Each structure stands twice: as structure tokens, then as C-alpha cells.
Amino acid sequence: MDVFLAIRFDGGAVTEFLFNSVILRGVRNTLEVTILAMLLGTVLGIALAVMRVSHSRPLAGVSAFYVWFIRGTPVLIQLLVVYNGLPQMVGSDAFTHFLTPFRSALITFSLNEAAYMAEIVRAGIQAIEPGQMDAAKSLGMTNLQAMRRVILPQALRVVIPPSGNEVIAMLKNTSVAFVIAFVELTTAARLIYAVNFKVMELLVVASIWYLIMTTAFSVLQAELEARLTIVERERAIPLTTRVLRTLGGGRER
Amino acid sequence: MLDVQGVHKSFGPLEVLRGVSLQVTKGEVLVLIGPSGSGKSTLLRCINHLEKIDAGHIYIDGQLLGYREVNGRLIEEPEARVARVRASIGIVFQRFNLFPHLTALGNVIEAPIHVRGLPRQRAIEEGIRVLEKVGLGEKLNVYPSQLSGGQQQRVAIARALAMQPKLMLFDEPTSALDPELVGEVLEVMRELAGEGMTMVVVSHEMGFAREVADRMALMDGGQILEEGPPLQFFEAAQHERTRTFLSKIL
């Protein structure tokens, strides 16, 4: 009993700080970087994947090198390279001012996401049976047309579950942006407990927000998957089932 | 119309086509038979330039297909040119290869819109017409996975026809089908032949061959062993190999 009595946890502080303006700004920054980096990273990732499976050796090589490099180095270092390393190298004030913490984080996470998406999309493309390419070409489509109109629309459906996981991973990874003083959610919590010493309370606040955001993304992912399923299966699967399935990380097929 | 001369094709050390020559005139139906692995499918894929050839010439309407000849050497044409020639040759695959993310009509209008550049509305009108022609006017907005094999293959035929090809290639179009679905596909092909479509058909449906083929050819070991009208094939085959092969599949 003594142990429990000795626990100091200020539940009131959690509710008090849940909607604190610094915390809310952290939530917004985290969301902004995650969503924008997801969009930019996906576009770049698809381009990299198409390059990788193309018949052109140089294009495939560039893509492979990019993925190897980005996946093989820590995000933390990449952040520091963009925020601290590049300005030192370029040595121009305008450039240094341009690279705000937000932009540095956005650039780094986009480049990062692109590498992972490239691998996911490549796997998706390669999962499409070769007969599809034959059929598209036999109808007079060029390689690029076939890719855009026939292969990618099918591949992107296969790609949604793993890329949803990827986005959730990135959302949490944005917390390392504290090294470049970017006020995302974790940094916001740290800033506050550095002053009031309510460490546990603020970590709980941050966790609650992370859970809310990851859950929202899971629901979105489940919805997207259901919408894009090629043909209605026997019966529509209820939303709750789909969400639980996605949250559990399980995948059918 | 189709003139194949001395075509060679190897996959690594395996020589699949060993000097194949073949002519098909406009409006003619050629049925190609032969044991599996004899190179029939590869020949069709070469005619459509889905496979590159190692040596020989393939002409469509007197035009070299997919290559330019420079000082006696074959140089591959740029992709866009190859695509254009290919668009004039329809091919129907054994496994249909329909686009699963598009409806029957979607499958049929995709290439007319994006390759031939037809306005969407015209493409839809034509798409409906070809789907009605293959007896699927009721299934316009149905996805391939909801169709039977025979219906899927008929959509595939309609998809090829929508490009208004000069030549249709059929690569064992009925061999992936349940027996009771074979007839509906053959019926469509029979009609097509009746309308004067030039066709090269790889098939072991001998009833169809006997009735529809103008000429038959037997391939074995990457070469054409025997060629002639169906009657000669069935009644008086000249090669022993042809006779034994026919006796096995009849």
C-alpha cells in the first residue's frame, strides 16, 4: 500500500495540459509534417519505384542507390545534415534562413518516406502478373502508358496496407526532430516539463495525442482499403471490424 | 498480309524457334497446332513483338515489324513506333489477361481512348457495339472477376477488336476454360472468321479447325513441319509426325 501512496501523479495536470496551446501547436506541427511528407514521399516514391523496374540501367541504378543510402543511414543524421550540414557547406545566409526547422524536417521526412515507399511500390508492381503488361502492350500502349493506366492502379491497391503502417511509423518518428529544435509534439511536452517538472503527466499527454492521431490514420487506411478493393467481396466488412484488423496490424490475403 | 521469314528465337541456350517461315493472306484463317513446347505461343508473341527475335523478318502488309533494316542488320524501332504497329494486331491470351480494376466496358475502351485517341463518348459507343457483338451487351459494367471464364475470354476478344486490328492472334484461347464454356468462345471466333478477319489461331480444337481453318500448320521443335488445307491434314497428312500428333488429340 505504501508504494501506491508514494506514487505522485497529478491527474489534473493531464487534463489541464491536454489542450495547452504549446501542446496543440506541437500536434499541429507533427500532423503537418507527417501529412505533407507522406504526400511528397509517395509521389517521389512512385517515381523511384517506376525507375527501379524500368529497363534503363542508369535510372534503375540511381533509384537503387537512393534507397540504399536513405535506408542505410539514421534519420537523426539526415536531419542534422539538412539542418546543420547543408547551411555550413553552402555558407549563404539566404539558404540558412530558408532552411527553417519546419522545412528541414519536411525535406528530410519526405526524402525518407520516398525511399521506403519506393520499396513498397516496387513490391506492389512486381506482384502484378506479367500478363497484364503483355495485354497492355498488345493494345498498343507504350511502357509508360501501361505503367500508368494498368500496372500502377493495381499495384497501388496492394500497397495501401504496408504504406499505412509506414505513415504511422513516420508520424511517431517525427519526434526525433527535437534535435533541430522543431516544436513537434514530443518537443512541446519536453519544453513544458522542463519548466514544471511534471514529466510523467506531460508524457501521458503526448501519448494520448499520438494515440489519437495513429488511430485516425488507421481508420483512414481501413476506409481507403475498403473503397479501393477491386470488386465487392461477398459482403461488405463492417468498419469496426476493418479498423480493429488494421489496428492489430493483421492483413488478409 | 503476314509474312514470317526464317525467324529464330532463343531463350538462353534453348532455341525455341528455328527458322520459322509462314505466310497468311488477307482474310485467311490459319490454325497452328503442335505439341507443347514446340514454339507456337512464342511465334505468336514474336509476331506481336512481345518477344524480340534473334534473326529473320516479320512483315505486316509489307512493313517490317518492330525493326528497321540498315545494311542488312535489324535495328529495333523506338518504342512508340513499335507500339503503333502493335496496336494494329490483336492478341487473345490463354489466360484472358483482362484488367481486373476495370469493368468489361472499361477494359474495352481503355486503349481506344488512350492509344487511338478516340473521344470518350465515341469509344463508349464502339465499346458497347463490340461487347454486344460478342454477346455481352448485358455485362457492360461488370468486373472481370464476376464473369465466367468464357465471358472473360469474350471480353478479351472484344477488347482486341475495339482497336480495329488488321490481324487477330489467338493463343490457345479455350484451353483455360471449362469444357462447357469452350463453345461460346469458338462461336465468336467462327463469326469473326466469317466476317473475313485475318486470324492466326493456336488451338487444339480440331472441330473448329476442320470447319473454319483455311489452312493448318503443324509446328514441332521450333519449325513448321507441315502446312496445308484441313482436309489434307486430317485425311492425307504427309508427315508421320503429323499423323501421330493428330491421332493423339483427335
Side-chain angles (χ1 to χ4, degrees), chain A residues 131-132 134-143 145 149-150 153-154 157 230-232, chain B residues 45 48 79 83 86 89 91 97-101 110-111 114-115 143 145-146 159 163:
Chain A
Q132 292 289 311
D134 286 347
K137 283 185 168 179
S138 79
L139 291 167
M141 293 190 201
T142 60
N143 260 319
Q145 271 180 324
R149 314 240 26 121
V150 175
Q154 295 179 59
R157 289 175 165 89
I230 291 179
V231 180
E232 320 73 67
Chain B
R45 292 175 63 84
N48 206 5
E79 201 204 342
R86 223 186 238 144
I89 306 171
I91 183 163
N97 297 354
L98 289 180
F99 306 137
H101 60 299
E110 185 71 16
H114 297 286
V115 178
Y143 285 89
S145 61
Q146 298 165 306
R159 178 174 69 177
M163 289 302 285

Side-chain angles (χ1 to χ4, degrees), chain B:
Chain B
M1 130 138 276
L2 171 66
D3 189 359
V4 177
Q5 292 178 0
V7 166
H8 286 260
K9 170 75 191 173
S10 302
F11 293 109
L14 183 69
E15 198 174 18
V16 183
L17 298 180
R18 299 189 298 169
V20 174
S21 295
L22 191 70
Q23 282 77 39
V24 182
T25 56
K26 193 165 163 47
E28 195 177 24
V29 177
L30 174 76
V31 171
L32 199 56
I33 61 173
S36 59
S38 60
K40 302 168 308 236
S41 291
T42 306
L43 177 61
L44 288 196
R45 292 175 63 84
C46 287
I47 292 175
N48 206 5
H49 206 267
L50 286 173
E51 303 287 352
K52 293 172 187 171
I53 58 177
D54 301 330
H57 298 85
I58 299 176
Y59 297 93
I60 301 277
D61 280 343
Q63 242 191 322
L64 206 51
L65 183 98
Y67 298 91
R68 266 178 310 140
E69 195 160 21
V70 179
N71 303 328
R73 289 200 324 152
L74 291 182
I75 300 192
E76 198 172 16
E77 290 259 41
E79 201 204 342
R81 291 281 298 271
V82 174
R84 195 136 26 101
V85 185
R86 223 186 238 144
S88 65
I89 306 171
I91 183 163
V92 174
F93 301 93
Q94 184 178 356
R95 306 213 56 90
F96 330 136
N97 297 354
L98 289 180
F99 306 137
H101 60 299
L102 300 174
T103 60
L105 185 61
N107 266 275
V108 172
I109 63 175
E110 185 71 16
I113 292 175
H114 297 286
V115 178
R116 275 172 64 200
L118 278 194
R120 194 176 172 81
Q121 203 46 48
R122 280 257 330 267
I124 290 175
E125 284 162 20
E126 267 190 46
I128 293 174
R129 197 178 53 76
V130 286
L131 279 169
E132 276 170 354
K133 185 183 163 81
V134 300
L136 291 172
E138 312 280 283
K139 301 281 184 187
L140 301 178
N141 298 314
V142 171
Y143 285 89
S145 61
Q146 298 165 306
L147 294 170
S148 74
Q151 291 170 329
Q152 288 190 49
Q153 193 59 298
R154 285 188 281 150
V155 173
I157 294 174
R159 178 174 69 177
L161 289 178
M163 289 302 285
Q164 303 185 336
K166 299 189 257 189
L167 168 68
M168 284 282 285
L169 310 173
F170 292 84
D171 187 6
E172 304 203 32
T174 58
S175 55
L177 296 177
D178 290 337
E180 78 269 22
L181 302 176
V182 168
E184 61 190 66
V185 172
L186 291 181
E187 186 52 42
V188 169
M189 292 167 62
R190 197 174 287 131
E191 261 174 52
L192 215 52
E195 290 166 13
M197 176 62 79
T198 313
M199 294 162 59
V200 179
V201 182
V202 171
S203 176
H204 291 153
E205 294 293 335
M206 288 303 109
F208 174 82
R210 195 189 283 267
E211 190 191 333
V212 179
D214 297 304
R215 216 146 38 88
M216 293 181 66
L218 177 92
M219 259 187 109
D220 194 22
Q223 284 175 319
I224 295 205
L225 271 193
E226 179 157 3
E227 223 184 307
L231 209 62
Q232 175 196 319
F233 248 73
F234 291 114
E235 312 295 339
Q238 294 174 351
H239 274 265
E240 179 56 34
R241 186 77 190 86
T242 312
R243 282 194 293 272
T244 49
F245 182 73
L246 282 173
S247 72
K248 272 184 207 150
I249 61 170
L250 277 174

Side-chain angles (χ1 to χ4, degrees), chain A residues 106-136:
Chain A
L106 180 58
I107 291 169
T108 309
F109 285 111
S110 298
L111 295 180
N112 223 273
E113 180 73 356
Y116 288 93
M117 281 305 290
E119 284 300 281
I120 293 173
V121 174
R122 178 171 70 106
I125 290 173
Q126 285 168 345
I128 306 300
E129 54 168 319
Q132 292 289 311
M133 196 53 156
D134 286 347

Side-chain angles (χ1 to χ4, degrees), chain A residues 26 45 66 69 215 252:
Chain A
Y66 179 88
F69 182 82
T215 306
E252 277 193 312

Side-chain angles (χ1 to χ4, degrees), chain A residues 4 33 54 58 63 68 75 92 103 109 112 158 182 196 223 232 239 243 247 250:
Chain A
F4 288 105
V33 166
S54 80
S63 169
W68 170 78
V75 186
S92 128
R103 285 176 183 156
F109 285 111
N112 223 273
V158 183
F182 175 54
N196 69 5
E223 254 321 283
E232 320 73 67
L239 178 67
V243 171
L247 287 177

